[in-house]
Each structure stands twice: as structure tokens, then as C-alpha cells.
Amino acid sequence: MATRVVATATVRAVTGRKLIATRAALTLTPAAVQRIKSLLQDKPEIGLKVGVRQRGCNGLSYTLDYASTKDKLDEEVVQDGVKVFIDKKAQLSLLGTEMDFVESKLTSEFVFNNPNIKGTCGCGESFSM
């Protein structure tokens, strides 16, 4: 089954922030939870899937797709009634990351605030670890 790209995402390196030990591999802000709920409303999919792929100036970028099922090695994050599945290739790069949803006059996008990133490209789409 082919996946559909849900949205683009921006990555921000977070400096001066220590990893916070939580049970979840990824935490969601209230804005991200609300946006995911609205994306999944009236859809047969059960959640969103976060992946990582080779792309851009710095090497890696996150992908967001609808998920109909949880794959065997996916990490499942359930928060405030929404499910986010993390692909096995993206799990280590997301530890301690906060997923937010930001809207401005020109854009609306998910933003990954990640303390593990060493560098990002100028547009914020790709990162290096």
C-alpha cells in the first residue's frame, strides 16, 4: 500500500537543553495534537507515521505520512488521544524531541524541536546528527 505525504516539517536544533527522560520517544505540543486530530478526522487511518530519509543539504529530513497500521518495529506514541508511529530508522534521531505545529501568515507546518541535531540547512528542512 502506498503512503501519502501528509505535510512538510521543519527541524530546529535546540541548544542548551538536556534530554528529558520520559516514557514517550516523542512529545507532542497541544497545537500538534489538535492538528493531528484535524488531519485524521473522517479518515480511515489510525495515526501519523514519522520517518526519516536522505535528503537536502545536511543529509536527513523527516517525513510525515498517514498510517493505517502499526508496523512490527514501529515505536508507538499515544498522547491526548492521538497516535504517532515512529519508523525504526527514525527512532534514535527523535529521542527527546518535541513535535509542534506552527502557523503564520505564510506557512503552517509541523516543527521538530530536536536537541540531538548538530546542524541544519538554511531552510530548516534537513539536518545532521
Side-chain angles (χ1 to χ4, degrees), residues 8-129:
T8 60
T10 297
V11 181
R12 292 187 186 144
V14 178
T15 58
R17 179 174 149 192
K18 295 184 186 214
L19 292 176
I20 300 169
T22 65
R23 294 183 68 186
L26 175 72
T27 57
L28 308 172
T29 65
V33 169
Q34 286 305 112
R35 181 61 180 160
I36 294 169
K37 283 181 180 179
S38 70
L39 286 171
L40 295 174
Q41 187 176 2
D42 301 325
K43 297 224 180 337
E45 287 81 13
I46 60 170
L48 290 184
K49 184 169 187 171
V50 179
V52 67
R53 68 178 173 158
Q54 294 279 20
R55 181 178 157 211
C57 314
N58 270 296
L60 298 171
S61 67
Y62 289 118
T63 60
L64 291 168
D65 300 307
Y66 289 110
S68 299
T69 60
K70 178 185 179 289
D71 291 337
K72 183 178 179 182
L73 298 175
D74 287 350
E75 178 75 26
E76 182 178 355
V77 175
V78 179
Q79 184 178 322
D80 299 326
V82 299
K83 291 182 183 180
V84 176
F85 303 103
I86 304 171
D87 183 79
K88 69 177 183 173
K89 294 178 185 175
Q91 290 173 8
L92 289 178
S93 68
L94 282 170
L95 287 175
T97 298
E98 174 188 75
M99 183 177 174
D100 194 8
F101 182 75
V102 178
E103 288 184 281
S104 70
K105 290 182 181 182
L106 298 176
T107 63
S108 61
E109 62 188 348
F110 286 101
V111 176
F112 290 88
N113 297 308
N114 190 332
N116 307 308
I117 293 175
K118 302 290 184 234
T120 62
C121 66
C123 65
E125 280 189 24
S126 64
F127 62 93
S128 61
M129 303 284 295

